[in-house]
Amino acid sequence: MYKVKLSSFEGPFDLLVYLIESARMSIYDIRISEITSEYLAVLKELEENDIAVSEEFMVLAASLIEIKSKMILPRTNELGDTVLEEDPRDELVSRILEYRRYKKMAEFLKEKEDENQRIFEKPEEDISVYTDNPDEYLSLDLGEFSRAFNLFISKKQRVESVRKHYTKIEREKARMVDRIKLILSRVRENMDRVHYFRDMVPNRKDKYDTVVSFMSVLEMAKENVINVKQERNFADIEISLGDAENLDKVLSKYDGTEGGSDEQ
């Protein structure tokens, strides 16, 4: 008998596949009598523990019992000749295979969703200053020409400002690996005392430097590399060493294609 928890399974087929794999059966040659007994035993144990069993689990149980009954019926006619008929398990096998295909697709989509969670998009900007102003022509007097030239310079400065802004973001992104290593080294140097987030920001006057440190702390906390605590709103964040063995997992997100190995 396999000890299972209903909360661990997404549905009746999830439980059924688990039992089949645990018994090392082939999906194409299910020992239907054995697997039905195991499935019903799990449901009975859940009911004895006052755990609600959904209707879906009961419907599959009924299907297994029906297949089991068909398997024990004689397969000969009145003359004693063997009657060739479809295997009662064929429909169940087909449904299990379909379930596994959909589950695999769901896992793939979940991986893509997790990847998208690590993609940061720039906020929407007001570009009306570029689209609302008509083109300027040079058939102007000196004053109008001067104003047109100043407008051109102003637009160029805005473009340069945007370019520098996102260049800096890429540079800060490349520094994530270094900042994570810096934070970890400081925590390791004095493992017995509590560290504070403000001490992990080399240049507190630079908001990008603060963001890099904060994102590094979040990534490390998510992977349990460090432990963080904040007593109240706006209080300084307390940092202590967690499971440093997960550090490679954190750093891999920022290596290679994600900018961890780019030149700064």
Side-chain angles (χ1 to χ4, degrees):
M1 179 63 190
Y2 309 103
K3 291 187 177 297
V4 297
K5 293 182 179 179
L6 187 60
S7 59
S8 302
F9 300 95
E10 298 175 356
F13 276 95
D14 209 25
L15 172 59
L16 180 61
V17 171
Y18 168 79
L19 294 174
I20 291 173
E21 292 176 349
S22 297
R24 298 184 179 180
M25 297 183 192
S26 168
I27 289 179
Y28 299 97
D29 187 21
I30 300 172
R31 298 191 294 275
I32 197 68
S33 179
E34 177 182 341
I35 208 66
T36 301
S37 298
E38 294 290 351
Y39 188 91
L40 293 175
V42 171
L43 298 189
K44 182 179 179 181
E45 181 180 353
L46 293 172
E47 291 177 344
E48 290 176 351
N49 293 325
D50 293 328
I51 299 176
V53 179
S54 70
E55 183 179 343
E56 294 175 323
F57 286 84
M58 302 306 296
V59 169
L60 181 57
S63 298
L64 291 173
I65 294 173
E66 181 182 4
I67 295 172
K68 180 180 177 180
S69 64
K70 289 181 179 179
M71 294 288 292
I72 61 178
L73 290 175
R75 301 194 179 189
T76 57
N77 57 21
E78 297 177 353
L79 300 177
D81 297 326
T82 300
V83 178
L84 297 178
E85 59 181 19
E86 293 185 0
D87 192 323
R89 300 170 296 179
D90 287 347
E91 183 180 354
L92 178 63
V93 171
S94 177
R95 293 173 66 186
I96 292 176
L97 292 175
E98 183 179 17
Y99 166 77
R100 293 180 68 178
R101 283 196 298 271
Y102 279 106
K103 185 174 182 180
K104 188 173 182 180
M105 291 172 60
E107 291 172 350
F108 172 77
L109 293 175
K110 182 63 171 63
E111 290 177 2
K112 290 300 180 182
E113 181 184 9
D114 292 340
E115 290 178 6
N116 290 335
Q117 292 297 321
R118 298 194 294 271
I119 298 175
F120 300 93
E121 299 180 355
K122 75 178 187 66
E124 184 178 353
E125 297 181 5
D126 181 13
I127 61 172
S128 60
V129 64
Y130 305 110
T131 58
D132 294 345
N133 295 319
D135 294 333
E136 301 288 348
Y137 296 94
L138 297 179
S139 56
L140 310 170
D141 59 30
L142 185 59
E144 292 174 331
F145 176 78
S146 176
R147 286 191 294 273
F149 182 74
N150 288 334
L151 179 61
F152 167 76
I153 293 298
S154 176
K155 289 182 177 180
K156 184 174 178 61
Q157 288 175 341
R158 288 176 181 270
V159 171
E160 289 298 326
S161 175
V162 170
R163 183 179 294 111
K164 288 180 181 179
H165 174 71
Y166 290 107
T167 299
K168 188 168 185 177
I169 286 180
E170 289 300 319
R171 186 172 67 252
E172 298 299 338
K173 181 181 176 182
R175 289 174 53 194
M176 283 284 288
V177 171
D178 294 334
R179 187 58 51 83
I180 288 173
K181 292 179 179 178
L182 172 65
I183 294 172
L184 185 63
S185 66
R186 290 187 177 180
V187 175
R188 278 176 167 172
E189 286 176 2
N190 296 283
M191 292 187 292
D192 297 330
R193 75 179 185 87
V194 175
H195 300 264
Y196 294 96
F197 174 73
R198 64 173 179 270
D199 299 325
M200 305 302 173
V201 185
N203 185 3
R204 297 182 201 171
K205 294 182 180 180
D206 187 344
K207 63 180 181 180
Y208 295 109
D209 209 47
T210 302
V211 169
V212 170
S213 293
F214 186 68
M215 293 299 296
S216 300
V217 167
L218 289 181
E219 284 293 339
M220 296 172 73
K222 184 172 69 174
E223 301 299 339
N224 296 320
V225 177
I226 59 173
N227 301 314
V228 296
K229 183 173 69 172
Q230 189 178 39
E231 294 291 347
R232 62 185 184 280
N233 288 341
F234 307 112
D236 204 349
I237 299 173
E238 299 178 3
I239 300 172
S240 58
L241 186 64
D243 186 2
E245 293 183 359
N246 290 335
L247 180 61
D248 291 339
K249 183 177 180 180
V250 178
L251 296 180
S252 64
K253 297 179 182 180
Y254 297 93
D255 285 338
T257 58
E258 294 199 24
S261 61
D262 293 343
E263 295 182 0
Q264 296 184 28

